[in-house]
Amino acid sequence: MKKIVMLAAVASFALSTNAMAQDGKAVYEKACKTCHSIGLAGAPKFQNAADWAPRFEKGMDAMLKSVNNGMNAMPSKGACIDCSDEDYKAAINYMAGK
């Protein structure tokens, strides 16, 4: 019985780690770097304050809406279908150098 409980606990933890927030750098490396490193199709460039300032003026909610719905050439969810809003916030702040 103890083995079954332990296996269930390990399985539960393994499944829940996907729901845990990822750090901004990890999300950037996984899903954002290709476009944001060079500003492809008008994407704000990585740690370029001038590119990010107007977006931050609109607020984080507006940026999250753009990520979730897609914008210009960026697909919805920004090519990170398993990312949460918290993951996106971390990636946005990382890319903006905050």
Side-chain angles (χ1 to χ4, degrees):
M1 183 64 154
K2 287 182 183 180
K3 288 181 183 180
I4 293 172
V5 172
M6 283 298 284
L7 285 172
V10 170
S12 174
F13 177 76
L15 292 173
S16 68
T17 56
N18 211 16
M20 295 171 63
Q22 302 174 64
D23 85 345
K25 182 178 181 183
V27 175
Y28 171 77
E29 293 290 333
K30 175 172 82 171
C32 310
K33 186 175 183 175
T34 299
C35 297
H36 287 278
S37 65
I38 60 172
L40 187 67
K45 290 182 224 109
F46 179 71
Q47 297 194 346
N48 182 312
D51 283 358
W52 286 99
R55 289 159 175 87
F56 273 92
E57 287 175 10
K58 293 178 183 177
M60 185 61 76
D61 288 342
M63 288 188 279
L64 288 174
K65 184 177 180 180
S66 294
V67 172
N68 282 306
N69 295 332
M71 182 172 204
N72 300 327
M74 183 176 70
S76 67
K77 305 287 277 169
C80 187
I81 60 171
D82 67 335
C83 287
S84 68
D85 282 354
E86 292 304 312
D87 297 331
Y88 294 129
K89 287 178 189 178
I92 289 166
N93 285 321
Y94 177 73
M95 288 189 287
K98 296 189 177 253

